[in-house]
Amino acid sequence: MKRIILLCLSVLFCFSACSMPQTQLTEEKNAASESEKFAGVWLTYAELSVKGKSYTEESYREYISDLFLSFKEKGITDVFVHMRAFSDAFYNSELFETSEYASGKRGRKADFDILQICISEGKKRSLKIHAWINPYRVMSTFKEDALAEGIISKWYEEDENTVCRVSGGLYLNPASDKVQKLIVDGIREILSSYDVDGIHFDDYFYPPSSGNFDRIDYEAYKENGGKLSLSDFRRENINNLLSLSYSTVKSYGREKIFSVSPSGDIDKNYNGIYADVAFWCKGGFCDMIIPQLYYGFQNETKPFGRVLDEWLGLCDGSNVKLCVGLALYKVGETDDFAGKGRNEWVSDNTVIERQKALSEEKGVFGVAYFSASFLENINF
């Protein structure tokens, strides 16, 4: 009897849908399409910084409110707010020291909660807020006296295998289980305390010119029967972090988004910072991937159109949404890495508009702009 009732209900539902006026169906489809539109912007730690400034909570909130209003007017839907740029925090954290850019000095308590202000002001403008994290970077240029008391400084003093000096900077070791746990616990801390729409990683994975800082971990792995090469071992470490991060984000709600913004150079990702983006695009590692396609159409070695097609190929047939990161900061500037195309951004002020149009024509989910300070460089 239950099966008969269900069958009847299904028939009635189908009949109702089929008899619905075509205009109503079209309106609903367009409304759904509209809700799926994505236009992101990165709001960097420097753009959020209070260092050297005299903000009160009220004046800072006014600054963010005005900024978000300008985003809305430009058609922005999602904001990636830089909440942990150097293994520090722009929010109230028990795991990471307060950022010097949130308080004036690393480790000093901030006068107000910048993440909470961004969330509340974002809601007023119907903007989605993603907490943007650099997973491994501690300092780009190492200064020992700049470390504040906390987990990172304790590890640096007591366990050289977790916090390592590499390429003139200081980085958390991606091969360390303790490091992976800290990063994932940090994600959990944000999601349990703040109503963000997602967590976002950028392209700081294994530091460039990594050397042998993870030698102890790799040797232990081999002694326990591991068969992977050092390069594949490193890729597996990054894969593990992304998988753990993805499942952690999803444990707070299927609607929560985990996104990653790797370099636009697929080979550099794979062989330079050990980010296996092709594997991630198969699913289960992120909801959305936003490669930084910071190349002009005339770039001699990596023209925008060709690189876009390469990324479309990686995401073909995947449920991972492909967005395109565009370089607003290059508008009007020479590009010294573009070879014969070095003057394209100076001589042609339509590069971004054409890149956006081509990306949409090719069926990408959306675009994201780097960064907030340069939104005035383009007419949307």
Side-chain angles (χ1 to χ4, degrees), residues 74-290:
K74 294 287 190 180
I76 297 300
T77 62
D78 292 64
V79 186
F80 301 102
V81 291
H82 214 171
M83 289 295 102
R84 194 155 75 243
F86 300 97
S87 298
D88 53 9
F90 269 78
Y91 54 93
N92 293 328
S93 176
E94 294 182 2
L95 298 173
F96 296 92
E97 311 95 83
T98 303
S99 170
E100 64 178 292
Y101 300 99
S103 66
K105 181 178 175 59
R106 187 171 178 131
R108 177 190 295 160
K109 182 176 174 58
D111 292 332
F112 42 84
D113 188 332
I114 291 177
L115 178 53
Q116 188 55 53
I117 289 174
C118 288
I119 292 168
S120 61
E121 293 304 313
K123 286 184 181 299
K124 292 177 185 177
R125 308 293 184 193
S126 298
L127 293 168
K128 292 184 178 179
I129 303 298
H130 305 251
W132 165 16
I133 294 169
N134 294 118
Y136 297 115
R137 181 176 64 178
V138 180
M139 294 179 189
S140 296
T141 303
F142 177 68
K143 294 180 182 178
E144 191 164 0
D145 59 357
L147 277 175
E149 184 177 345
I151 293 174
I152 305 294
S153 61
K154 187 172 187 292
W155 282 357
Y156 176 73
E157 293 171 1
E158 300 177 0
D159 186 357
E160 63 179 3
N161 198 47
T162 54
V163 185
C164 309
R165 293 180 63 174
V166 186
S167 304
L170 197 66
Y171 296 84
L172 299 175
N173 179 4
S176 166
D177 291 339
K178 288 167 62 176
V179 165
Q180 291 206 6
K181 183 178 185 303
L182 176 65
I183 295 169
V184 173
D185 284 348
I187 291 172
R188 191 174 289 112
E189 181 181 54
I190 292 173
L191 289 170
S192 62
S193 302
Y194 296 92
D195 186 20
V196 294
D197 294 284
I199 298 292
H200 179 69
F201 281 3
D202 63 11
D203 58 325
Y204 283 85
F205 294 107
Y206 262 84
S209 305
S210 295
N212 293 318
F213 74 88
D214 55 356
R215 175 182 53 81
I216 294 174
D217 304 275
Y218 184 60
E219 288 177 352
Y221 164 78
K222 295 285 282 186
E223 288 172 4
N224 287 319
K227 304 296 184 184
L228 295 176
S229 67
L230 176 59
S231 294
D232 284 337
F233 168 76
R234 288 175 169 176
R235 293 182 194 106
E236 187 69 9
N237 291 330
I238 303 299
N239 289 345
N240 287 340
L241 176 68
L242 260 70
S243 180
L244 285 169
S245 300
Y246 176 79
S247 60
T248 299
V249 170
K250 291 305 177 185
S251 72
Y252 285 85
R254 300 305 299 175
E255 76 285 357
K256 300 292 185 182
I257 300 298
F258 180 53
S259 57
V260 185
S261 178
S263 164
D265 187 332
I266 295 171
D267 181 71
K268 175 187 173 183
N269 283 318
Y270 190 78
N271 293 306
I273 55 177
Y274 306 100
D276 191 351
V277 294
F279 191 50
W280 302 348
C281 288
K282 293 179 181 178
F285 292 91
C286 58
D287 297 293
M288 183 164 56
I289 195 159
I290 315 174

